[in-house]
Amino acid sequence: NAGAVWTGPSWTRTVIQLTAFGSSGYFDWGLAWDVNDQGIAVGLVSRASDYVQFAYVYDMKRGVGQLLPMPSGYVESNPYAISNVVDGVVYVAGVLRPCSNHSCRDNRGVRWTVDVGQIGQSGYQPAYEVLSQLAWAEGASDQGFIAGTKNSTPDRRGNIIQTAMLWKPAGYI
């Protein structure tokens, strides 16, 4: 499975199938990170051949999903938060990695803008913006603002110090 989400007063479970994102056997596991009030979930699936992870968006009401695009130069993506639907779109906050191991320190935050009615449609690719000052993007507001952290220079012990940041279309705060 690519994840499961429990919703409603009776806690009904919806299982997200791996085959929603590729042919049987291409992905071997996945998980759901977040779901909004309209039943649209984000999560990741892991490729069976090398465990590289890919972000997805899934509409539980329609039973359709798709992988979220990555710009060239990045090989792995993880989504962490999704906004509610506003004017037919949702905003997804996540991370892009240029390498496929977790020791990679060149992460970049990303905001995907997804047209809800187009999820799962052939040829549809959601828009994205690489947030170059964010190493992690972990919160998405209904206005499209993205909360995350910026990596600063490592301290004398080699630890990376993270600083909270907010991105909005007018710039960083």
Side-chain angles (χ1 to χ4, degrees):
N1 296 329
V5 177
W6 286 261
T7 57
S10 62
W11 294 101
T12 303
R13 183 176 116 171
T14 300
V15 175
I16 302 169
Q17 299 297 325
L18 288 169
T19 53
F21 311 105
S23 59
S24 181
Y26 189 74
F27 297 112
D28 64 349
W29 66 272
L31 56 86
W33 276 115
D34 195 17
V35 63
N36 68 14
D37 293 343
Q38 293 81 23
I40 300 170
V42 292
L44 63 89
V45 287
S46 177
R47 190 166 50 204
S49 63
D50 57 10
Y51 307 111
V52 172
Q53 298 170 354
F54 299 89
Y56 71 74
V57 61
Y58 187 84
D59 186 334
M60 293 187 300
K61 291 178 183 174
R62 294 179 25 230
V64 295
Q66 74 178 80
L67 298 177
L68 293 169
M70 277 186 285
S72 63
Y74 296 95
V75 299
E76 191 166 76
S77 59
N78 295 128
Y80 291 108
I82 186 169
S83 71
N84 287 309
V85 178
V86 175
D87 296 329
V89 301
V90 293
Y91 301 103
V92 178
V95 173
L96 300 170
R97 290 189 187 93
C99 54
S100 62
N101 64 52
H102 292 286
S103 65
C104 183
R105 293 188 176 201
D106 294 323
N107 297 340
R108 290 293 174 261
V110 62
R111 180 186 83 161
W112 289 280
T113 303
V114 181
D115 180 331
V116 173
Q118 296 293 313
I119 295 172
Q121 298 295 313
S122 178
Y124 172 65
Q125 289 292 305
Y128 59 83
E129 294 176 69
V130 177
L131 308 175
S132 61
Q133 292 187 36
L134 291 180
W136 294 92
E138 298 171 300
S141 77
D142 295 348
Q143 296 79 25
F145 299 175
I146 302 297
T149 56
K150 172 185 177 179
N151 285 346
S152 57
T153 308
D155 68 13
R156 61 187 174 87
R157 293 187 181 104
N159 299 314
I160 293 178
I161 307 302
Q162 294 184 329
T163 305
M165 290 188 80
L166 178 69
W167 177 89
K168 56 184 186 173
Y172 293 90
I173 296 176

